[in-house]
Amino acid sequence: MTVESRAVSAAEYTDQPGAGDQPAALWDDGTAAPEHAVVAHDEAVAAAEAAGNSAVQNLSPAFPDRAAWGTASKLRAWQVEALTKYFETEPRDFLAAATPGAGKTTFALRLATELLARGTVDRIVVVAPTEHLKRQWADSADRVGIRIDPMFKNGDGMFGRHYQGVAITYAQVGMNPEVHQKITAGGKTLVILDEVHHGGDALTWGDGIREAFSKATRRLSLSGTPFRSDTAPIPFVQYAPDEQGIRTSISDYNYGYGRALKDGVVRPVLFMAYAGQMRWKTRMGDEMSASLGEQVTKDITAQAWRTALSPEGEWMPAVLSAADKRLTEVRRGVPDAGGLVIATDTTTARAYARILQQITGERPTVVLSDEAAASSRIQAFAEDTSRWMVAVRMVSEGVDVPRLCVGVYATSASTPLFFAQVIGRFVRARRRGETASVFLPSVPGLMALAASLELERDHALDRPKDADDGMYNPEDAMVAEANKEDRASESLLEVQPFEALDSQASFDRVLYDGGEFGTGGEVGSLEELDFIGIPGLLEPDQVRDLLRARQATQAKRAKGRTPKDGMPKAAAATEDRPMYQTIKEQRSELHRLVSIWSRHANEPHGAIHAELRRISGGPAVAQASIEQIQKRIDVLRSRIGGRR
């Protein structure tokens, strides 16, 4: 059975007009703007051209006293809203939080051109996380007539007169804030802090940013993920206590993934989860095994996960092969669609690239560092039609490769911030109907993050004593410290390096819009191909409907199967399995769903459990039967599936 035979024709689902099909002059409700509004638009453009200011020539007419609202063909509705809100008060500090792929750069540069044209500022400083993003900002600014120097070094002292500003990294500021303080104080400066949460990555960075830009005329902070896994305050971000007294960040404008998905600005994401049996040897020489995704201790989960990601086993080649099949299916509707593998380190990245070359017959683009050559490779990949790129972390944030449609999450990093940044590489939509597919290990932490993708978060400076939101993990530092290579200890204890012995992959399930689909199956089975073969051009509602249809098909298929002994498969499994194992799995699933709903509804776990008992009846979870726990699971699944 081929993937092609499992696919549904994309033409059946793509009757919606593309974003580019919209008329140029529309009101916000989609109706045509009156003729006088269009005339005002044309007059504004003509006036800008007459002024001879290249930045002003690229201004949107959607500003006060320029033209009627809705006549801008190049600004999205949220960008117009955010600009409107900014110019109502013109604050010194403004934090715009918009989901990755929504167009934060366009918004920032429109704001910059307006402030330059008004004479509010006369120079621009862009602070970005990486060298690649510096050049990306400079290229984007150049297209709207703003000349920014991305090659500026601290030793230069000042940028050339032929530039209107510089693009620098947070690390540059941290190394010598005095240089940037001098630049900022030398004129009326707009500082754009891209992905501003990096301002808290290290004490020196945060302090350096405050010192360098405290005298800036205006500061625009941008973030696609305005939260951090720690409690380090972010410079120039306001905090206020919430209902529970927890100090959280305040965004001046917020455009979340849920709304962006409804607007067609971002793609829906299918998470293809893979489980399997893992076997490894610990550092003390003990041989262990576990199924990926089963409810075990954190250290066992981490070691099973590490085993799965080893290029020496069978798990990674099987998942990469499945992802490449999915990419082939997506390219039927999106011919230039590309794939990205996020690796943990350079060694495994090169190994993954070799595996992909064997699978596809095509050498992938490999990006291993944040250097000029790496930036050129990313840009070349963004502009060609090759299939795969393999990278180590650096492509996880801000890098603009709109044709990325399929991803493989092959790294052990699992903070909500990093996860959101990775997924942000795949959600940028170029036309309505494009979908994204991300393949990942079926481990509890990642499953919870995938299930709650669209939930908006703010950065919290405090933690409640009973915090269990997946955001704050104080043990992470201890685990990282324990995993460091300690040569002296090894020589004394004669311990061995961790060794992955064997890994086998199996298809687990698909996560979409907070729901789970699929009955699991072997790699290459009909159960897997049902979902790999989903067309790459579908509206969000069509994705949901098709997933439900295929779920129903799989349920009928499973119901019709009987083992050789003639007993129904489910009955045989129930009799062979101890009751405590079933209850244990149900409790874990209930706890996972309660955590998801707690984040969505901002309700404590205890209150949710109490309400479930009131609705479904029965005692506390510790004393509840299989049937009673299942009722509570069904209630939460219904809520999560229908919350939008």
Side-chain angles (χ1 to χ4, degrees):
M1 182 69 67
T2 63
V3 174
E4 292 84 349
S5 64
R6 304 306 307 160
V8 174
S9 171
E12 300 174 24
Y13 298 92
T14 54
D15 55 357
Q16 298 282 344
D21 298 329
Q22 298 296 327
L26 296 177
W27 295 115
D28 287 342
D29 62 2
T31 58
E35 184 177 354
H36 70 81
V38 180
V39 171
H41 176 203
D42 296 338
E43 289 176 350
V45 174
E49 291 174 349
N53 186 311
S54 60
V56 178
Q57 290 175 18
N58 291 277
L59 280 174
S60 164
F63 289 98
D65 304 323
R66 282 228 163 95
W69 293 106
T71 60
S73 61
K74 294 184 179 180
L75 278 184
R76 291 169 173 163
W78 82 262
Q79 294 164 337
V80 175
E81 290 176 3
L83 287 167
T84 301
K85 186 166 186 180
Y86 182 90
F87 284 107
E88 285 174 354
T89 59
E90 295 198 44
R92 186 181 186 190
D93 286 294
F94 191 87
L95 170 60
T99 189
K104 291 185 294 295
T105 301
T106 298
F107 161 72
L109 291 175
R110 291 293 177 124
L111 178 58
T113 55
E114 176 68 9
L115 293 177
L116 286 168
R118 294 184 179 192
T120 305
V121 301
D122 55 29
R123 61 181 59 182
I124 309 291
V125 173
V126 178
V127 189
T130 67
E131 292 289 328
H132 178 83
L133 287 177
K134 283 172 32 177
R135 287 180 284 274
Q136 190 167 290
W137 269 98
D139 292 343
S140 298
D142 189 75
R143 287 193 287 270
V144 298
I146 301 176
R147 310 293 181 236
I148 289 179
D149 181 9
M151 300 178 293
F152 178 84
K153 296 179 176 59
N154 288 350
D156 297 340
M158 180 57 68
F159 58 88
R161 292 177 178 269
H162 46 287
Y163 289 109
Q164 290 169 281
V166 296
I168 54 181
T169 64
Y170 286 94
Q172 276 182 268
V173 179
M175 285 187 290
N176 196 337
E178 293 84 2
V179 170
H180 307 286
Q181 183 187 51
K182 181 180 179 181
I183 292 174
T184 303
K188 295 181 290 185
T189 306
L190 166 66
V191 178
I192 300 174
L193 298 162
D194 187 24
E195 304 297 350
V196 69
H197 49 266
H198 284 283
D201 273 345
L203 185 60
T204 54
W205 287 18
D207 290 344
I209 291 167
R210 288 189 182 88
E211 179 180 349
F213 306 125
S214 61
K215 297 181 180 180
T217 305
R218 298 288 173 86
R219 291 182 291 257
L220 173 63
S221 297
L222 304 172
S223 183
T225 48
F227 57 89
R228 297 173 50 78
S229 296
D230 58 26
T231 55
I234 303 170
F236 311 124
V237 171
Q238 290 185 329
Y239 294 85
D242 62 12
E243 306 81 25
Q244 300 177 342
I246 305 300
R247 292 172 296 167
T248 57
S249 60
I250 301 175
S251 299
D252 296 287
Y253 185 85
N254 196 303
Y255 186 65
Y257 175 80
R259 182 184 165 195
L261 185 61
K262 292 177 182 178
D263 291 346
V265 171
V266 296
R267 300 167 179 153
V269 182
L270 290 166
F271 290 99
M272 318 288 285
Y274 280 73
Q277 190 67 26
M278 308 296 138
R279 191 165 60 89
W280 67 93
K281 185 178 291 186
T282 69
R283 295 167 66 87
M284 297 304 295
D286 298 324
E287 188 172 314
M288 300 188 67
S289 65
S291 294
L292 194 65
E294 69 178 355
Q295 296 295 326
V296 292
T297 61
K298 286 187 177 181
D299 60 330
I300 296 296
T301 295
Q303 293 175 71
W305 187 351
R306 184 176 178 182
T307 302
L309 298 182
S310 170
E312 305 301 324
E314 297 298 323
W315 195 90
M316 273 305 302
V319 171
L320 290 174
S321 179
D324 188 66
K325 291 176 183 176
R326 176 64 185 151
L327 180 60
T328 296
E329 189 58 48
V330 171
R331 285 168 75 104
R332 298 182 191 283
V334 187
D336 68 338
L340 169 65
V341 181
I342 298 289
T344 299
D345 54 53
T346 58
T347 301
T348 54
R350 292 190 181 97
Y352 295 160
R354 289 192 294 270
I355 295 171
L356 278 171
Q357 186 170 0
Q358 294 172 357
I359 293 171
T360 66
E362 178 182 303
R363 185 187 298 272
T365 297
V366 181
V367 180
L368 302 178
S369 60
D370 182 25
E371 299 172 348
S375 182
S376 300
R377 285 194 290 272
I378 294 173
Q379 188 63 32
F381 181 82
E383 296 172 353
D384 66 25
T385 60
S386 58
R387 294 179 72 88
W388 284 99
M389 176 165 60
V390 182
V392 180
R393 291 199 171 220
M394 70 162 293
V395 188
S396 69
E397 182 176 50
V399 174
D400 185 11
V401 186
R403 71 185 190 91
L404 287 175
C405 293
V406 177
V408 179
Y409 194 95
T411 174
S412 56
S414 60
T415 65
L417 175 62
F418 183 76
F419 184 84
Q421 290 167 350
V422 169
I423 305 308
R425 299 316 99 219
F426 304 97
V427 300
R428 186 184 300 273
R430 299 173 299 176
R431 54 189 282 201
R432 290 196 69 90
E434 289 184 342
T435 61
S437 304
V438 177
F439 289 68
L440 41 70
S442 185
V443 295
L446 292 184
M447 295 299 96
L449 292 173
S452 58
L453 174 65
E454 71 281 12
L455 300 185
E456 297 177 6
R457 295 184 176 93
D458 294 312
H459 177 219
L461 291 182
D462 309 302
R463 304 292 182 195
K465 294 181 179 180
D466 58 347
D468 186 23
D469 58 359
M471 294 285 297
Y472 183 55
N473 297 298
E475 71 273 21
D476 283 352
M478 292 184 289
V479 172
E481 187 68 26
N483 287 335
K484 287 182 178 179
E485 297 289 340
D486 188 341
R487 302 295 180 185
S489 297
E490 286 184 9
S491 62
L492 290 172
L493 300 176
E494 297 183 354
V495 298
Q496 305 171 10
F498 174 92
E499 181 182 359
L501 299 177
D502 182 53
S503 62
Q504 301 295 325
S506 62
F507 173 68
D508 186 10
R509 50 188 152 155
V510 173
L511 281 74
Y512 177 76
D513 191 31
E516 298 182 1
F517 305 88
T519 57
E522 299 299 318
V523 171
S525 64
L526 290 177
E527 287 73 19
E528 178 194 37
L529 296 178
D530 277 339
F531 296 104
I532 287 182
I534 289 176
L537 279 174
L538 291 175
E539 291 292 313
D541 289 344
Q542 295 164 348
V543 173
R544 190 180 303 107
D545 292 342
L546 185 54
L547 287 172
R548 288 171 178 168
R550 298 213 163 166
Q551 173 85 347
T553 299
Q554 290 194 0
K556 291 179 180 178
R557 189 186 299 150
K559 187 176 181 180
R561 292 176 181 158
T562 56
K564 292 182 180 179
D565 59 8
M567 290 183 63
K569 185 176 181 181
T574 301
E575 289 187 6
D576 292 341
R577 192 177 199 189
M579 180 184 295
Y580 77 87
Q581 291 185 0
T582 302
I583 290 180
K584 179 182 178 182
E585 290 185 0
Q586 281 188 311
R587 289 176 181 174
S588 297
E589 176 64 6
L590 179 61
H591 179 71
R592 186 182 71 84
L593 294 173
V594 166
S595 296
I596 293 173
W597 187 252
S598 174
R599 288 191 291 268
H600 173 70
N602 195 27
E603 296 179 10
H605 288 204
I608 298 173
H609 280 293
E611 185 183 8
L612 290 173
R613 287 183 64 184
R614 181 183 60 80
I615 295 173
S616 305
V621 174
Q623 290 80 39
S625 66
I626 292 175
E627 293 77 12
Q628 290 165 338
I629 298 176
Q630 187 60 48
K631 284 183 181 179
R632 301 173 197 185
I633 290 173
D634 293 341
V635 169
L636 283 179
R637 282 178 174 168
S638 176
R639 287 186 181 181
I640 293 170
R643 66 182 180 273
R644 295 200 298 160

